[in-house]
Amino acid sequence: MATMASTATAAASLRLAFPLLSAPASSSSYSNTLRFPLRRRSSCRPLAVAAFKKLSEASPVPIPQEPTQPLLVDEDALPPKAGVYGVYDAAGELQFVGISRNVRASVEGHRRKVPANLCASVKVAVSDEEAPDRSALNNAWKSWMEEHIAATGKAPPGNVAGNHTWVGAPQRPPDLRLTPGRHVQLTVPLEQLIDRLVKENRVVAFIKGSRSAPQCGFSQRVVGILEAHAADFVTVDVLDEEHNHGLRETLKAYSSWPTFPQVFVGGELVGGCDIISSMAERGELAALLIQK
């Protein structure tokens, strides 16, 4: 039972809209993802994961309700450093857990962007290091999410996929194409191109239509599930006869699976819409996606 519970907790956390690294927001613009990486530490220095407090150990800091006034908070309580933070509403309910390279600036951005009753206090945890490793920040974020989900059975509203009050809509990468065009003569068999594609990318979804505009309900559901799990996945349009000519029939033979969409993880076929949906409901998909 303990194993099942821990799996369910991890699964729930991975269904969330994962805000990799929040950039400082302002009243005029707001970005939820850093456009540049944090400075890497020397490889000989250990990750400072233990330096971050647990969510339950952090003390809440009141936030002034008037957004036009400066954020009058002691920098020791709300420092301009990289870290994780949780924003609470006026009733003391956790609304959002985020990561930022500048916690103070991000909280200030939230205070100016969201309704005052949703941004009444904040808990913060920062590393002792000036520029903590990205993975240390991500692990701290996950631990806060798992702690909250274990205590309440649900995710903070602002971290649920589709809620853009705190985190902007994700930018979707373009679909992959197997060939430059139908007129180009292939130098290797199409089966080999498929095999290379699914093995060089962690998660691949062969769908009808594009990622931004699926052409069938099953493909749309699979894209939605993978995005809700914050999966790092690529898509291939099996209806694109110009750049993926012959893909549908060749892929059916390659995977021994007659329908679409088809989802591959780690080079292996997982299944179509029904299987992906069922695995997501049981928490098995999240466990699969987190594996290396």
Side-chain angles (χ1 to χ4, degrees):
M1 292 297 291
T3 301
M4 293 179 62
S6 62
T7 301
T9 299
S13 69
L14 287 173
R15 292 192 191 101
L16 312 173
F18 184 58
L20 293 178
L21 285 174
S22 297
S26 66
S27 57
S28 60
S29 64
Y30 183 78
S31 174
N32 69 294
T33 305
L34 283 180
R35 301 303 179 191
F36 49 88
L38 291 177
R39 178 168 55 85
R40 288 284 185 177
R41 301 173 306 156
S42 172
S43 60
C44 64
R45 299 169 66 188
L47 298 182
V49 179
F52 292 99
K53 293 181 179 179
K54 292 182 178 180
L55 177 63
S56 57
E57 295 174 346
S59 300
V61 179
I63 298 175
Q65 293 298 301
E66 179 52 60
T68 60
Q69 298 298 318
L71 189 59
L72 302 176
V73 179
D74 190 326
E75 286 193 356
D76 290 337
L78 196 55
K81 296 180 63 177
V84 294
Y85 60 95
V87 185
Y88 289 78
D89 64 13
E93 296 292 330
L94 182 63
Q95 293 295 308
F96 177 70
V97 176
I99 307 175
S100 177
R101 66 183 180 89
N102 187 326
V103 168
R104 184 183 179 89
S106 288
V107 173
E108 171 69 14
H110 291 317
R111 186 177 69 119
R112 295 179 181 275
K113 175 178 180 286
V114 305
N117 66 314
L118 296 182
C119 194
S121 64
V122 63
K123 287 186 176 182
V124 173
V126 297
S127 172
D128 293 334
E129 300 201 357
E130 189 64 28
D133 189 275
R134 182 190 293 265
S135 62
L137 289 169
N138 290 350
N139 287 338
W141 181 89
K142 288 181 181 179
S143 71
W144 276 36
M145 293 301 306
E146 290 172 353
E147 183 180 349
H148 177 74
I149 292 170
T152 66
K154 59 183 180 181
N159 290 102
V160 176
N163 185 327
H164 301 314
T165 301
W166 305 87
V167 178
Q171 292 187 343
R172 293 173 169 174
D175 303 279
L176 297 185
R177 295 170 170 177
L178 289 177
T179 71
R182 190 169 181 171
H183 61 284
V184 176
Q185 182 69 36
L186 296 180
T187 58
V188 296
L190 189 58
E191 294 90 337
Q192 187 173 333
L193 293 178
I194 295 172
D195 186 68
R196 183 185 305 169
L197 179 69
V198 299
K199 290 179 178 177
E200 290 181 351
N201 295 276
R202 169 65 181 158
V203 182
V204 182
F206 292 91
I207 63 174
K208 292 183 178 180
S210 66
R211 180 170 179 168
S212 59
Q215 295 299 304
C216 76
F218 298 121
S219 295
Q220 184 176 27
R221 177 157 177 75
V222 163
V223 169
I225 290 173
L226 292 175
E227 289 187 342
H229 280 66
D232 182 11
F233 71 102
V234 297
T235 52
V236 183
D237 182 3
V238 299
L239 301 181
D240 183 359
E241 282 298 316
E242 174 61 29
H243 300 94
N244 303 322
H245 178 62
L247 174 59
R248 277 176 289 176
E249 295 305 318
T250 305
L251 184 58
K252 289 178 184 179
Y254 175 85
S255 63
S256 300
W257 194 265
T259 59
F260 301 99
Q262 295 184 19
V263 178
F264 288 74
V265 178
E268 300 292 336
L269 175 69
V270 176
C273 182
D274 289 344
I275 291 178
I276 295 298
S277 299
S278 179
M279 291 180 67
E281 291 173 359
R282 296 195 302 267
E284 296 173 356
L285 182 61
L288 176 64
L289 293 174
I290 201 173
Q291 295 174 2
K292 291 184 177 182

